[in-house]
Amino acid sequence: MHPKIQVLLSMLIFSTVGLTVRFVEMPSAVVVLARAVLGTLFMLGFVYLTGKVINKESIRANAKVLIASGIALGLNWMLLFEAFSHTTIAVAVLCYYLAPVFVIVGSPFILKERITGLQLGCVLGALLGMVFVSGFIDGELRGFWGIVLAMSAAVFYASVMFLNKFVKGVSTYDSTVMQLGSAALVFIPYALLTVDFTSLEWTTKGLMLLVVLGVVHTGVAYALFFGSFTKLP
């Protein structure tokens, strides 16, 4: 599959995360943990069923970058899901998707890539849109803390993009397993310390939505997303 198609499909899947999360009546830490664990298990199952072999040598050579990317990925989810609780999905998602703008602005310094006139125009347009969406002009910020959380999530999202450009010689499946697994390991102790699991109400709808988030929005989407990184500027 062409890497541009991979990115497009992953973005289409990601765009429905907010709507799905809104119907999961669970703390953000639980949603993030479930997403990371289920996504990792799905990818491990996929690798096993398709007869692929995880390349331990390439993973070991890129371990630091993969783990750092996984931690940034988990923090990015956590902040975004918290943002959904403090502002509208529309505002949170629009703020969150400023991450590519941060990447374009940072790419000349970190990746030594040139910014074209068109890219600069897109950056300015996105920032102008952010000003209008935030309510700054009319003096009424809409969900200020939600905007701050979503923007913080965007910073970690941009960090994931930058870090993945430094991953070399690792297959899509190996990098996805490692990064999702790292996110899960980070959030297991955090969730255990911050959430009273005995008080949670587990419903059939909630469990089904968590599975969808873990398999579709995480396993499938990130396999497409990470798979395109080394092939695109």
Side-chain angles (χ1 to χ4, degrees):
M1 185 185 298
H2 194 281
K4 289 184 179 180
I5 301 298
Q6 288 181 253
V7 171
L8 177 60
L9 288 175
S10 66
M11 289 298 112
L12 288 172
I13 295 172
F14 290 149
S15 69
T16 63
V17 168
L19 290 173
T20 307
V21 170
R22 267 291 166 91
F23 291 99
V24 180
E25 297 178 355
M26 293 283 176
S28 297
V30 175
V31 178
V32 171
L33 180 60
R35 191 178 180 187
V37 170
L38 291 173
T40 304
L41 292 175
F42 170 78
M43 288 306 302
L44 285 171
F46 178 82
V47 169
Y48 175 76
L49 292 173
T50 54
K52 300 181 185 298
V53 179
I54 292 179
N55 190 327
K56 295 179 181 178
E57 290 300 320
S58 63
I59 288 177
R60 191 176 295 111
N62 292 271
K64 291 181 180 178
V65 177
L66 289 170
I67 292 171
S69 179
I71 292 171
L73 184 65
L75 291 171
N76 139 59
W77 291 342
M78 186 71 181
L79 291 164
L80 177 61
F81 295 163
E82 284 295 329
F84 290 147
S85 301
H86 291 81
T87 187
T88 64
I89 291 177
V91 170
V93 170
L94 284 170
C95 295
Y96 181 59
Y97 279 103
L98 280 177
V101 172
F102 298 156
V103 172
I104 290 173
V105 172
S107 61
F109 307 100
I110 298 174
L111 303 177
K112 309 303 180 185
E113 294 182 355
R114 291 183 59 191
I115 295 181
T116 66
L118 177 60
Q119 288 174 330
L120 183 59
C122 290
V123 166
L124 295 176
L127 293 175
L128 181 62
M130 184 62 249
V131 172
F132 283 117
V133 167
S134 68
F136 178 78
I137 290 179
D138 56 19
E140 186 180 345
L141 289 174
R142 302 179 181 93
F144 175 75
W145 284 114
I147 292 172
V148 171
L149 289 166
M151 293 284 283
S152 300
V155 170
F156 282 106
Y157 187 13
S159 300
V160 172
M161 294 185 190
F162 280 128
L163 286 166
N164 275 274
K165 291 297 290 183
F166 294 97
V167 175
K168 305 296 182 183
V170 182
S171 73
T172 298
Y173 310 107
D174 290 355
S175 64
T176 305
V177 168
M178 274 295 295
Q179 289 173 86
L180 294 181
S182 297
L185 289 174
V186 167
F187 276 91
I188 286 174
Y190 177 80
L192 291 175
L193 289 171
T194 59
V195 178
D196 180 8
F197 282 85
T198 60
S199 65
L200 297 178
E201 295 184 10
W202 301 93
T203 64
T204 302
K205 183 183 79 170
L207 289 171
M208 289 178 65
L209 289 174
L210 285 178
V211 171
V212 171
L213 278 169
V215 174
V216 180
H217 293 95
T218 307
V220 174
Y222 277 99
L224 292 168
F225 190 52
F226 293 147
S228 65
F229 270 97
T230 57
K231 305 167 188 173
L232 292 175

